[in-house]
Amino acid sequence: MNIAVVGLSHKTAPVEVREKLSIPTPQTEEAMATLTSYPHISEVSILSTCNRLEIHIVTEETEAGVREVTQFLSDYGKVPLQELRAHLFILLHQDAVMHLMRVSAGLDSLVLGEGQILSQVKHAHKLAQQHKGCGRILNQLLKQSISAGKRVRTETSIGTGAVSISSAAAELAKMKQPNLANCRISILGAGKMARLLVQHLLSKDPCQITILNRTIQRADELAAQFNGAGIQTGTLDTMLETVCTSDVVFTCTSATEPILDRVRLEGVLQPGQALMLFDIAVPRNVHTDVNDLETVQAFNVDDLKAVVAQNQESRRQMALEAEALLDEEVDSFIDWWRSLDTVLTISSLRNKVESIRQQELEKALSRLGNEFAGKNQAVIEALTRGIVNKILHDPMVQLRSQRDIEARKQAMQTLHTLFDLEPLPSGKLS
């Protein structure tokens, strides 16, 4: 079995491409069902965030499996294959393993060391388990990637003061509008990104903030976390009324279509009224046509790169420390992965020895007589099992821990020959 990752990210594709390929949580089950129905994909997980979409697969035929994923993405996003291929990255085997661990550790993020990605990988793992997408291999890889991400944040300083997409957006707003304290600010959405936005905005200035959400309860709960900040709340039903009385608007809702566009804004903005829009949602919440309005300035997640670049250099040394830890984690996973080749040999050997043990035990018990055997059968049973387990322990440990592929193949073949076990399928030794 081989591991592959097919995807696109802020490094390979602009937001207008990424939003077409975004797979929201409610659509994950159907996407996984489609992918696992393909003949060459046996396990799958999906990681979809504002800056990346990745599909991780386990496949016996790597080229065919990758081709099936690529065709799925083309069909799903309605992007022609030729256009899509220019934005995709494809990683195989050990490179795929290292990539997922780097993603979990925040080393592949737009904001180096950002912490939100780890919870997103956890969410992807949970969805893959719920929808029966991941089996033994991907389950172990995702679990170990999450552990690796936690380890990097515990043993290095990469997460200390790490900024997020939300904080970068707040920083960009501060650059474009230095006097945020005198601005009326609206935030559309009340999820984690909105919470981080409020946190970073208030750390800079005592802002006048209004939070709108689909449900008022969620908006009120978020405002309550910043008790004393005077945050106003409302529902998205009053969006246009609120926007037209705002100077700066941040959008981070889960809507799959733009909720603000030129027509809507033209209908509510006063002549000459200036408005700044910072859209950090993917798919985007703000249509590109708002840029046609003379008094409106709109920014999206791709516009954050200039802000992020200012913080990157100081974090690169921390990233090198993290990479060294990830090398250890990758080696550990690869050892486990390769040891799966030995499962059939170990199982065959244990079954053969167990069969011999049971045959000899029956003979011994019949010679001892019913009375003695009845009283002592449990003790004799435990004795023989203990002997078998101790004899098999060292060979099994040595076989699993053998890192040299050729040496392991030879050891497996020798065991099958010496103990007259059923021959291994040819694929197990190739």
Side-chain angles (χ1 to χ4, degrees):
M1 286 294 187
N2 301 311
I3 297 173
V5 177
V6 182
L8 70 171
S9 73
H10 61 95
K11 296 179 179 180
T12 68
V15 65
E16 56 263 28
V17 175
R18 298 199 306 273
E19 67 185 358
K20 292 177 182 177
L21 277 297
S22 176
I23 303 179
T25 295
Q27 297 178 25
T28 302
E29 181 175 10
E30 182 180 352
M32 283 189 180
T34 300
L35 285 161
T36 52
S37 71
Y38 294 147
H40 299 101
I41 298 176
S42 55
E43 298 184 36
V44 65
S45 65
I46 297 172
L47 176 62
S48 183
T49 75
C50 63
N51 277 321
R52 72 182 62 249
L53 170 72
E54 297 183 5
I55 296 183
H56 319 116
I57 63 168
V58 173
T59 174
E60 287 190 14
E61 299 290 340
T62 305
E63 187 176 339
V66 167
R67 188 166 56 247
E68 288 168 352
V69 173
T70 305
Q71 186 63 59
F72 165 81
L73 290 174
S74 176
D75 295 341
Y76 174 83
K78 297 180 175 57
V79 180
L81 272 174
Q82 187 173 358
E83 178 185 340
L84 179 62
R85 287 193 183 103
H87 299 293
L88 291 181
F89 64 83
I90 298 170
L91 297 169
L92 308 177
H93 317 315
Q94 189 161 332
D95 290 339
V97 174
M98 173 56 92
H99 172 77
L100 188 49
M101 297 211 180
R102 292 186 79 255
V103 167
S104 293
L107 301 189
D108 197 63
S109 296
L110 173 64
V111 181
L112 189 63
E114 64 119 342
Q116 193 175 355
I117 186 65
L118 185 58
S119 63
Q120 291 166 333
V121 174
K122 290 179 182 177
H123 183 62
H125 185 205
K126 181 180 178 181
L127 290 175
Q129 290 178 314
Q130 283 180 346
H131 304 316
K132 299 179 174 57
C134 69
R136 185 176 190 178
I137 295 175
L138 274 188
N139 186 57
Q140 179 66 24
L141 175 57
L142 287 163
K143 282 173 59 178
Q144 194 154 343
S145 296
I146 292 165
S147 296
K150 291 178 180 177
R151 185 183 173 195
V152 164
R153 285 164 174 78
T154 301
E155 298 182 30
T156 75
S157 303
I158 193 73
T160 305
V163 291
S164 62
I165 296 296
S166 297
S167 65
E171 189 67 35
L172 180 60
K174 183 70 173 176
M175 290 170 58
K176 300 295 182 180
Q177 181 57 266
N179 196 5
L180 284 177
N182 290 334
C183 292
R184 295 162 297 178
I185 299 172
S186 297
I187 298 175
L188 310 186
K192 185 176 291 186
M193 296 183 83
R195 178 179 62 77
L196 291 171
L197 263 174
V198 175
Q199 178 180 320
H200 290 289
L201 288 169
L202 291 177
S203 72
K204 297 179 182 301
D205 297 290
C207 302
Q208 307 169 50
I209 298 175
T210 298
I211 299 173
L212 302 185
N213 191 58
R214 185 174 56 83
T215 60
I216 189 66
Q217 180 182 358
R218 187 100 178 253
D220 287 342
E221 288 173 354
L222 176 53
Q225 294 179 39
F226 301 90
N227 189 28
I231 296 174
Q232 303 296 309
T233 61
T235 65
L236 287 172
D237 294 336
T238 62
M239 177 182 67
L240 292 178
E241 293 93 319
T242 302
V243 167
C244 74
T245 58
S246 300
D247 303 300
V248 176
V249 176
F250 295 90
T251 60
C252 50
T253 79
S254 59
T256 57
E257 298 289 339
I259 58 176
L260 290 176
D261 56 26
R262 176 176 177 168
V263 172
R264 289 187 177 97
L265 291 180
E266 277 183 325
V268 296
L269 292 180
Q270 297 298 315
Q273 180 182 348
L275 178 65
M276 283 190 182
L277 300 172
F278 296 88
D279 183 9
I280 55 174
V282 177
R284 287 173 291 181
N285 289 166
V286 178
H287 198 285
T288 55
D289 64 7
V290 300
N291 290 298
D292 296 336
L293 298 171
E294 288 186 9
T295 60
V296 174
Q297 296 182 68
F299 306 90
N300 60 47
V301 287
D302 284 356
D303 295 313
L304 302 179
K305 291 180 180 179
V307 178
V308 170
Q310 298 175 7
N311 302 298
Q312 296 288 70
E313 197 54 43
S314 64
R315 313 181 66 75
R316 293 198 187 282
Q317 185 56 44
M318 303 176 195
L320 291 176
E321 298 173 17
E323 296 276 8
L325 294 179
L326 294 184
D327 284 338
E328 296 175 12
E329 295 291 337
V330 170
D331 286 345
S332 172
F333 176 80
I334 295 299
D335 287 344
W336 173 85
W337 186 17
R338 288 173 176 166
S339 74
L340 296 182
D341 283 348
T342 67
V343 170
L344 186 56
T345 296
I346 290 172
S347 178
S348 296
L349 179 58
R350 179 169 283 284
N351 288 341
K352 177 135 192 180
V353 175
E354 175 62 16
S355 177
I356 294 171
R357 184 192 72 83
Q358 289 181 358
Q359 291 173 16
E360 295 305 310
L361 179 62
E362 289 176 8
K363 291 179 187 177
L365 291 175
S366 64
R367 291 173 187 160
L368 291 171
N370 290 337
E371 184 176 349
F372 181 86
K375 291 180 180 179
N376 299 282
Q377 182 170 349
V379 175
I380 299 171
E381 178 91 20
L383 173 66
T384 56
R385 284 188 184 279
I387 292 171
V388 165
N389 288 336
K390 288 186 182 300
I391 291 173
L392 292 179
H393 179 263
D394 285 344
M396 290 180 176
V397 169
Q398 292 297 321
L399 190 58
R400 287 194 187 100
S401 62
Q402 179 57 257
R403 302 189 71 177
D404 186 287
I405 297 174
E406 291 303 319
R408 187 173 67 249
K409 289 178 182 178
Q410 186 59 52
M412 290 164 62
Q413 189 62 66
T414 299
L415 282 173
H416 278 260
T417 301
L418 290 176
F419 287 90
D420 192 26
L421 305 177
E422 290 185 9
L424 278 169
S426 57
K428 287 292 178 183
L429 292 175
S430 59

